């Protein structure tokens, strides 16, 4: 509880800083005196941007934590399991098949493709006899590149490279009131994840373990991966790609809080929002008055942390697991 309070205070401080950071100057006197230009800037641009950042951080970090728990692998995340890449492919296909579709319809289609891509990845790693955490992460990254290659090919074929580029590089610079509200899905999905957190813990232990406790393994696994895919898709559709949030944030939090999902979920969501907000602020002030996309900042920081985490995991003694019949029924991707 103490850590959650500290994280909430940090998030609150960064949120206030975010509201008053930008090309146009905002001040409390102008806002309280009813200055129309400042109020419009606050309500149409700065506040929607802040809410979108917080929702994106909560969504991606929660999705990563759920996937890591279900697969019992610290390197599984929307970035390393093809979920983000599949969402991008879904958006592109929706532009081709349903050119006049609304943002919500595109999100639904992207969710379906993201879910399909995630299940293909899970089914693929189940077929690997010997596997460890690092190998699964590498396979996931390669799988994402394959999907990304397909996406690029289709974009070139249908002359949609410029259009799809909006979703390939995450940025909050275009967030305005009326075109971001879809990311609010993060809140109800987070609540559902919190309610089923203990079930996700049980399912992560395998099919037989779940069956002995009377838990429907297939339903909980499907529910967990569906929540992760929906959380990812709603962010990619609105903001674009933000890499590594779902990978590094859950790892950093569980290092201090442990692996019990319900005990780490709130801190993971808060820290995810803080991390995304900090990256966005860095992008806004680094070359002000110009702005760097958050994908660039998060990708650089996330890559460094990812390499450090991988080296740390590889230095620890690992157990290679021979996957048998029971293990193949779960999406356990390795043990350390």
């Amino acid at each position: 509880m103490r850590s959650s309070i500290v994280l909430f205070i940090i998030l609150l401080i960064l949120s206030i800083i975010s509201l008053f950071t930008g090309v146009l100057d905002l001040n409390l006197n102008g806002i309280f005196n009813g200055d129309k230009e400042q109020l419009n800037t606050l309500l149409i641009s700065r506040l929607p941007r802040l809410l979108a950042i917080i929702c994106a951080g909560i969504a991606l970090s929660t999705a990563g934590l759920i996937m890591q728990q279900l697969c019992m692998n610290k390197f599984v995340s929307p970035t390393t399991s093809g979920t983000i890449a599949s969402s991008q492919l879904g958006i592109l296909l929706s532009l081709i098949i349903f050119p006049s579709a609304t943002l919500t319809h595109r999100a639904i289609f992207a969710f379906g493709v993201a879910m399909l891509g995630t299940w293909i990845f899970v089914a693929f790693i189940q077929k690997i006899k010997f596997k460890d955490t690092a190998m699964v992460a590498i396979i996931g990254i390669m799988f994402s590149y394959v999907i990304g290659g397909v996406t690029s090919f289709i974009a070139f074929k249908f002359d949609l490279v410029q259009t799809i580029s909006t979703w390939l590089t995450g940025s909050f610079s275009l967030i305005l009131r009326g075109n971001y509200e879809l990311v609010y899905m993060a809140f109800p999905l987070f609540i559902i994840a919190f309610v089923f957190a203990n079930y996700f813990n049980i399912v992560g232990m395998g099919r037989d373990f779940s069956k002995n406790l009377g838990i429907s393994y297939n339903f909980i696994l499907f529910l967990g991966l569906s929540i992760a895919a929906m959380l990812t898709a709603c962010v990619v559709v609105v903001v674009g790609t933000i890499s590594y949030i779902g990978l590094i944030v859950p790892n950093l939090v569980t290092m201090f809080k442990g692996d019990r999902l319900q005990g780490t979920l709130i801190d993971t969501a808060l820290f995810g929002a803080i991390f995304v907000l900090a990256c966005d602020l860095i992008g806004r002030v680094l070359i002000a008055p110009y702005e760097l996309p958050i994908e660039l900042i998060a990708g650089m920081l996330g890559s460094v942390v990812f390499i450090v985490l991988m080296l740390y995991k590889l230095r620890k003694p690992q157990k290679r697991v021979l996957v048998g019949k029971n293990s193949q029924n779960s999406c356990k991707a390795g043990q350390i």
Side-chain angles (χ1 to χ4, degrees):
M1 179 61 71
R2 183 181 301 176
S3 59
S4 299
I5 294 174
V6 172
L7 290 173
F8 179 78
I9 293 173
I10 295 173
L11 178 61
L12 184 61
I13 294 172
L14 290 178
S15 298
I16 295 173
I17 296 174
S18 176
L19 289 175
F20 292 92
T21 301
V23 177
L24 297 177
D25 291 329
L26 291 183
N27 57 75
L28 292 176
N29 288 333
I31 294 173
F32 288 133
N33 290 332
D35 185 288
K36 188 175 181 179
E37 182 179 0
Q38 296 211 16
L39 284 175
N40 285 338
T41 301
L42 177 66
L43 297 178
I44 296 176
S45 176
R46 299 285 174 82
L47 188 58
R49 178 178 185 139
L50 174 61
L51 293 175
I53 290 170
I54 293 174
C55 289
I58 291 174
L60 293 176
S61 58
T62 301
L65 182 62
I66 292 172
M67 295 180 74
Q68 289 173 16
Q69 185 60 47
L70 289 173
C71 297
M72 291 301 286
N73 188 306
K74 294 299 183 182
F75 288 145
V76 174
S77 74
T79 305
T80 59
S81 64
T83 307
I84 288 180
S86 300
S87 297
Q88 295 169 347
L89 178 59
I91 294 170
L92 177 62
L93 293 177
S94 70
L95 291 173
I96 297 171
I97 300 173
F98 311 107
S100 60
T102 64
L103 191 64
T104 302
H105 292 150
R106 287 177 186 167
I108 294 172
F109 195 86
F111 154 68
V113 179
M115 191 64 201
L116 178 61
T118 304
W119 273 105
I120 291 174
F121 170 75
V122 171
F124 181 72
I125 63 173
Q126 286 178 355
K127 301 298 182 181
I128 303 173
K129 246 183 182 181
F130 293 98
K131 51 196 174 180
D132 55 43
T133 53
M135 182 57 67
V136 170
I138 294 171
I139 291 172
I141 293 173
M142 293 171 64
F143 179 63
S144 297
Y145 274 116
V146 170
I147 299 176
V150 173
T151 302
S152 298
F153 171 77
I154 297 175
F156 275 108
K157 183 176 178 62
F158 289 90
D159 197 22
L160 291 172
V161 176
Q162 189 66 32
T163 304
I164 197 63
S165 63
T166 304
W167 288 280
L168 295 179
T169 304
S171 176
F172 292 97
S173 59
L174 300 178
I175 294 295
L176 296 172
R177 186 175 63 190
N179 69 351
Y180 78 100
E181 285 77 7
L182 190 64
V183 294
Y184 285 161
M185 283 179 60
F187 291 111
L189 290 172
F190 175 82
I191 294 173
I192 296 173
F194 188 83
V195 171
F196 285 89
N198 290 331
Y199 294 95
F200 296 153
N201 276 114
I202 295 171
V203 166
M205 301 303 294
R207 180 185 294 273
D208 290 342
F209 189 82
S210 304
K211 185 177 180 180
N212 291 336
L213 294 178
I215 303 298
S216 175
Y217 176 86
N218 290 329
F219 172 75
I220 297 298
L221 182 63
F222 178 81
L223 176 65
L225 293 178
S226 297
I227 291 173
M230 283 190 284
L231 286 168
T232 303
C234 75
V235 173
V236 174
V237 169
V238 175
V239 179
T241 302
I242 308 178
S243 303
Y244 293 108
I245 304 300
L247 175 64
I248 63 176
V249 170
N251 271 283
L252 293 175
V253 173
T254 53
M255 286 175 66
F256 298 96
K257 295 284 290 185
D259 292 324
R260 185 172 175 270
L261 192 61
Q262 202 166 57
T264 60
L265 197 57
I266 294 177
D267 283 5
T268 300
L270 289 172
F271 187 60
I274 290 171
F275 188 87
V276 174
L277 186 52
C279 290
D280 181 70
L281 285 171
I282 292 172
R284 275 191 269 179
V285 303
L286 205 58
I287 56 172
Y290 303 102
E291 181 176 329
L292 293 172
I294 188 173
E295 168 64 7
L296 178 62
I297 306 299
M300 291 174 58
L301 295 177
S303 298
V304 173
V305 177
F306 174 67
I307 292 172
V308 172
L309 287 171
M310 182 169 286
L311 292 175
Y312 172 75
K313 298 291 184 182
L314 290 176
R315 288 183 63 183
K316 296 179 66 176
Q318 297 192 42
K319 297 178 182 178
R320 289 187 177 274
V321 182
L322 176 61
V323 181
K325 182 178 178 181
N326 291 334
S327 300
Q328 287 181 352
N329 288 331
S330 72
C331 62
K332 292 182 69 174
Q335 301 277 353
I336 292 182

